């Protein structure tokens, strides 16, 4: 998704801007650009190629500047083309470009504003909603960039993070945030703006997370923040240490592969502070909250939603309270029936997903104030907006397809099931001890699944010639079938569907031919015999089965039935192990097809627009 970096300094800021863009590349983008103040004028370079190509152009033009803004764009309004790439310029009255602006988010009233600005003579060069904001600020500009941005924000509807510079005001940059993330970075005699603190690693570790409605005025000597009412406010300064090396690929071919193999470490780290099950793992007042609630509502998107679906099975079975799981983008617009005794749980890797944040706000507006998030970014909006939180320790996830974030979410959600169960008197000490033992052994169990990689590579070769695939699971493995199908489709572009195996004969069996591989998750559980009948239904119709079977399931390979044996049956935590093997299948199929595994087409890492 789009990324912003900006700097005002007493040195050449171009290396910092380009390095910042490189750090944001993993989020996905289709064009990029930079604008700087140099010798009393604004200069701009844009590219529909990679940041490296932009950097080559910048060096060729010998740009040097101490004030500048830069952007990676993920197209929403207007095709990925140079004229739509940011920064956008405006300079109606002076003839020369007076304002340069970069924007993340979506301006919803861009049509109305465009008409107004056209009527007073502004000419539009792009199809973007962003150019409207540049012209609006130019129109309102009377020599004070801060005042112009503040006035412009009053006219904007939608989500935005902005960084703006003006040709009349060297060493000044103004930012604004509403619904899209933006941070200010504080340096010595230099200050920065970015959509993600990661972009500023190496420049500063002193970070201010701006709040919705904030407008920020950055000069060399100060950073002043104003809230939506225009009053100057203080915001907390956080020291954010981004470990160097996190972005290194090491011996792996792709970040996704690296992140799959990091899962024993990531899950181990997520469990690091868990000595016993206690509600306080989720925050100081969790005990009281868990006592009060009698149901759970989980809100999330994509892979995080599938983590929520899995958690429903765990929480209902272990803690014995009802759970509903909703796709965040649907929930926020649905006329649902609220209940104040609900624990609202959001799940998000990034903690900045616009749909999930809006769904959370919607739930709160309906009077549901008991909120908890499972999130991988401690400083994110999601963590700030929720009363309780469990921070997963997956580390920075760079591959667009979520892997280690998913399994650490599942780990945290299992802990949540246990903690609620404890408060509801559903967790006898002996059961707690058994679950804790399984959790502690989980990193090793994941490592033994990873050791199956060579067998999966063999299957992946065969998958790469297919156009469609079905993924079957039952019970708590049904969400894992959905996740396996999502992983395959997003990185290999093979069409895949996840189904609860019992649903086969109600429709999808019609699709089964020798050309349709049917991936089956076959743990040894109480549904195994029923699953075997479902597999028979496929086999009898000439379908080809690829089965991940627990060691003691008695499912043998035969014509059209291929079996990879999972190392051990892992009881309630088995979905985590099956998720890992399906990640490997998707990854190696994509490699066999030669797709851009870490940056699949059309997708972005952190979806900060609706
Ligand atoms: C798929 C994937 C996405 C995200 C979804 C939510 O591999 O990564 O489906 O899970 O966009 O993102 P977060 O968890 O950051 O809210």
């Amino acid at each position: 998704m789009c990324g912003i970096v900006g700097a005002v300094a007493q040195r050449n800021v171009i290396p910092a801007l380009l390095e910042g863009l490189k750090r944001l590349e993993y989020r996905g983008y289709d064009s990029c650009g930079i604008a700087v103040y140099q010798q009393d004028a604004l200069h701009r370079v844009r590219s529909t190629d990679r940041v490296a190509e932009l950097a080559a152009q910048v060096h060729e033009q010998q740009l040097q500047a101490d004030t500048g803004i830069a952007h990676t764009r993920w197209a929403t309004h207007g095709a990925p083309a140079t004229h739509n790439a940011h920064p956008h310029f405006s300079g109606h009255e002076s003839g020369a470009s007076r304002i340069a602006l970069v924007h993340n988010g979506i301006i919803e009233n861009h049509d109305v504003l465009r008409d107004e600005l056209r009527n007073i003579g502004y000419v539009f060069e792009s199809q973007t909603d962003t150019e409207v904001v540049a012209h609006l600020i130019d129109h309102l500009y009377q020599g004070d960039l801060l005042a112009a941005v503040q006035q412009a924000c009053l006219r904007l509807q939608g989500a935005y993070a902005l960084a703006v510079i003006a040709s009349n005001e060297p060493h000044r940059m103004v930012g604004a945030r509403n619904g899209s993330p933006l941070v200010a970075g504080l340096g010595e005699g230099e200050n920065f703006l970015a959509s993600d603190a990661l972009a500023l690693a190496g420049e500063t570790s002193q970070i201010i997370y701006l709040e919705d409605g904030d407008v920020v005025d950055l000069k060399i000597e100060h950073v002043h923040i104003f809230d939506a009412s225009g009053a100057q406010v203080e915001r907390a300064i956080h020291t954010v240490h981004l470990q160097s090396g996190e972005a290194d690929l090491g011996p792996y071919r792709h970040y996704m592969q690296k992140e799959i193999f990091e899962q024993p470490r990531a899950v181990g780290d997520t469990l690091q502070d868990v000595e016993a099950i206690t509600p306080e793992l989720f925050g100081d007042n969790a005990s009281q909250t868990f006592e009060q609630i009698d149901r759970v509502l989980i809100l999330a998107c994509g892979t995080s939603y599938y983590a929520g679906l899995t958690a429903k099975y765990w929480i209902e079975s272990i803690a014995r309270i009802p759970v509903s799981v909703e796709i965040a983008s649907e929930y926020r617009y649905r006329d649902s029936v609220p209940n104040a005794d609900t624990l609202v749980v959001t799940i998000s890797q990034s903690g900045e997903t616009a749909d999930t944040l809006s769904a959370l706000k919607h739930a709160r507006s309906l009077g549901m104030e008991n909120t908890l998030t499972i999130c991988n970014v401690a400083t994110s909006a999601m963590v700030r907006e929720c009363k309780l939180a469990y921070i997963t320790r997956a580390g920075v996830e760079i591959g667009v397809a979520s892997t280690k974030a998913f399994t650490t979410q599942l780990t945290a959600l299992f802990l949540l099931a246990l903690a609620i169960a404890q408060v509801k008197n559903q967790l006898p000490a002996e059961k707690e001890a058994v679950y804790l033992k399984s959790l502690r052994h989980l990193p090793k169990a994941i490592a033994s699944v990873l050791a199956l990689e060579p067998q999966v590579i063999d299957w992946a070769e065969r998958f790469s010639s297919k156009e469609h695939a079905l993924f079957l699971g039952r019970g708590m493995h049904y969400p894992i079938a959905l996740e396996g199908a999502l992983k395959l489709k997003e990185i290999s572009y093979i069409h895949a569907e996840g189904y609860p195996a019992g649903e086969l004969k109600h429709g999808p069996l019609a699709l089964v031919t020798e050309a349709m591989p049917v991936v089956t998750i076959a743990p040894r559980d109480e549904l195994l015999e029923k699953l075997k009948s479902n597999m028979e239904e496929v086999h009898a119709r000439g379908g080809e089965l690829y089965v991940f079977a627990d060691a003691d399931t008695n499912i043998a390979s035969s014509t059209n039935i291929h079996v990879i044996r999972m190392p051990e049956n892992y009881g309630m935590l088995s979905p985590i192990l099956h998720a890992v093997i399906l990640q490997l299948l998707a990854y190696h199929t994509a490699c066999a097809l030669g797709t851009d595994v870490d940056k699949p087409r059309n997708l972005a890492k952190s979806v900060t627009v609706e």
Side-chain angles (χ1 to χ4, degrees):
M1 199 111 295
C2 301
I4 290 175
V5 201
V8 284
Q10 289 158 301
R11 61 180 167 120
N12 181 17
V13 294
I14 284 177
L17 296 179
L18 291 173
E19 186 55 37
L21 289 188
K22 276 190 202 141
R23 288 179 176 275
L24 295 176
E25 273 192 298
Y26 77 96
R27 298 165 71 104
Y29 67 105
D30 36 47
S31 59
C32 47
I34 185 168
V36 295
Y37 174 90
Q38 185 181 351
Q39 290 167 349
D40 299 332
L42 296 174
H43 299 264
R44 168 173 72 176
V45 182
R46 296 183 291 179
S47 169
T48 50
D49 210 326
R50 302 274 97 188
V51 172
E53 199 278 333
L54 178 79
Q57 279 194 59
V58 168
H59 291 133
E60 212 170 275
Q61 297 188 23
Q62 298 185 330
L63 285 187
Q64 288 231 343
D66 45 25
T67 305
I69 52 178
H71 191 256
T72 47
R73 172 174 188 254
W74 187 78
T76 56
H77 295 64
T82 309
H83 68 280
N84 285 327
H86 305 203
H88 284 281
F89 275 180
S90 182
H92 170 57
E93 285 166 27
S94 58
S97 301
R98 199 162 62 156
I99 298 291
L101 171 141
V102 292
H103 162 225
N104 287 359
I106 291 177
I107 304 299
E108 284 168 4
N109 57 338
H110 65 98
D111 277 337
V112 178
L113 293 172
R114 187 181 288 106
D115 287 348
E116 267 180 39
L117 290 158
R118 262 201 191 117
N119 286 342
I120 55 173
Y122 281 95
V123 177
F124 284 79
E125 290 176 353
S126 77
Q127 288 79 47
T128 63
D129 50 339
T130 302
E131 194 184 0
V132 171
V133 189
H135 291 321
L136 180 64
I137 292 173
D138 182 73
H139 172 56
L140 297 166
Y141 186 72
Q142 291 184 333
D144 180 356
L145 187 60
L146 173 66
V149 173
Q150 282 175 316
Q151 286 169 42
C153 288
L154 299 175
R155 298 289 323 274
L156 300 179
Q157 288 165 15
Y160 52 83
L162 306 174
V164 197
I165 56 174
S167 62
N168 296 348
E169 297 182 77
H171 289 133
R172 188 178 207 187
M173 172 169 60
V174 174
R177 173 195 165 136
N178 190 45
S180 292
L182 190 67
V183 304
L186 313 181
E188 292 287 321
E190 53 189 32
N191 291 304
F192 306 88
L193 272 180
S195 50
D196 183 333
L198 182 69
L200 304 180
E203 302 302 335
T204 178
S205 57
Q206 301 299 293
I207 299 292
I208 295 175
Y209 292 88
L210 298 170
E211 296 187 8
D212 281 348
D214 282 355
V215 177
V216 56
D217 185 18
L218 298 101
K219 293 187 174 175
I220 286 168
E221 65 280 6
H222 71 231
V223 171
H224 290 163
I225 303 171
F226 303 86
D227 68 11
S229 73
Q232 192 168 342
V233 287
E234 296 292 325
R235 302 271 180 241
I237 301 172
H238 299 260
T239 303
V240 177
H241 291 298
L242 293 148
Q243 283 165 23
S244 61
E246 261 177 343
D248 293 344
L249 206 45
Y252 299 100
R253 275 175 75 186
H254 298 97
Y255 286 109
M256 182 176 177
Q257 188 187 27
K258 177 180 183 238
E259 288 158 6
I260 290 173
F261 276 83
E262 271 174 4
Q263 289 177 109
R265 193 275 310 146
V267 166
D269 285 0
T270 296
L271 291 167
Q272 188 174 289
D273 298 332
V274 182
E275 275 162 19
I277 299 303
T278 148
E280 275 62 43
L281 289 170
F282 295 85
D284 287 345
N285 297 320
S287 217
Q288 272 167 285
T289 307
F290 293 176
E291 264 161 37
Q292 192 197 326
I293 53 113
D294 61 13
R295 68 196 66 192
V296 175
L297 166 65
I298 300 181
L299 303 170
C301 304
T303 288
S304 298
Y305 168 71
Y306 296 144
L309 281 184
T310 314
K312 175 181 168 74
Y313 288 85
W314 287 336
I315 299 172
E316 291 197 345
S317 149
I318 301 173
R320 309 299 302 150
I321 61 169
V323 181
S324 52
V325 193
E326 301 244 8
I327 291 177
S329 56
E330 285 296 311
Y331 173 75
R332 60 186 287 197
Y333 294 117
R334 204 165 70 72
D335 200 3
S336 56
V337 182
N339 182 305
D341 295 330
T342 305
L343 177 67
V344 178
V345 178
T346 61
I347 308 171
S348 178
Q349 185 285 124
S350 60
E352 301 289 353
T353 300
D355 285 323
T356 313
L357 279 170
S358 302
L360 169 68
K361 283 183 191 153
H362 179 63
R364 284 173 51 193
S365 75
L366 296 175
M368 294 187 280
E369 287 295 340
N370 295 313
T371 55
L372 181 152
T373 190
I374 307 286
C375 188
N376 195 38
V377 182
T379 49
S380 63
M382 203 74 75
V383 176
R384 292 198 302 273
E385 301 258 336
C386 284
K387 274 193 189 161
L388 303 173
Y390 196 95
I391 309 299
T392 52
R393 301 222 176 107
V396 176
E397 192 178 63
I398 290 186
V400 163
S402 188
T403 53
K404 60 178 181 170
F406 179 61
T407 46
T408 53
Q409 285 168 349
L410 289 174
T411 307
L413 286 161
F414 193 76
L415 287 172
L416 180 64
L418 299 183
I420 298 176
Q422 191 181 64
V423 173
K424 302 289 180 200
N425 293 322
Q426 298 290 334
L427 190 68
E430 57 286 7
K431 265 199 172 175
E432 177 185 336
V434 172
Y435 286 137
L436 268 176
K437 199 170 162 215
S438 291
L439 279 168
R440 295 222 167 91
H441 181 65
L442 195 50
K444 275 202 181 130
I446 295 174
S448 49
V449 172
L450 293 171
L452 298 172
E453 189 182 36
Q455 293 180 57
V456 179
I457 293 175
D458 192 39
W459 280 14
E461 284 297 326
R462 289 185 248 168
F463 264 72
S464 60
S465 62
K466 308 289 183 191
E467 288 181 9
H468 308 275
L470 270 183
F471 285 68
L472 303 182
R474 295 203 71 143
M476 61 186 174
H477 293 85
Y478 160 51
I480 302 304
L482 292 171
E483 168 62 5
L486 176 66
K487 272 315 69 114
L488 187 71
K489 67 186 135 190
E490 71 181 323
I491 59 168
S492 74
Y493 316 144
I494 293 173
H495 169 231
E497 303 273 357
Y499 265 98
E503 269 292 291
L504 255 191
K505 54 189 167 303
H506 298 290
L509 202 52
L511 293 171
V512 170
T513 66
E514 65 287 353
M516 169 77 96
V518 180
V519 179
T520 309
I521 304 170
R524 186 191 39 75
D525 61 14
E526 63 286 0
L527 289 170
L528 180 63
E529 290 313 315
K530 302 213 179 295
L531 184 80
K532 282 184 180 169
S533 310
N534 303 139
M535 288 165 54
E536 270 311 314
E537 290 160 8
V538 173
H539 195 231
R541 284 156 185 87
E544 200 168 5
L545 286 152
Y546 290 83
V547 190
F548 293 105
D550 281 358
D552 43 5
T553 49
N554 277 334
I555 299 175
S557 298
S558 65
T559 317
N560 281 350
I561 303 185
H562 314 280
V563 180
I564 288 184
R565 232 159 254 300
M566 298 291 280
E568 55 191 313
N569 173 273
Y570 220 68
M572 284 294 241
L573 289 165
S574 164
I576 298 183
L577 301 193
H578 282 274
V580 170
I581 199 92
L582 294 180
Q583 293 165 355
L584 283 174
L585 180 63
Y587 171 72
H588 284 292
T589 305
C591 286
L593 286 162
T595 60
D596 192 351
V597 173
D598 286 329
K599 297 189 194 81
R601 70 181 175 212
N602 305 338
L603 297 182
K605 181 67 191 160
S606 172
V607 186
T608 51
V609 293
E610 190 182 343

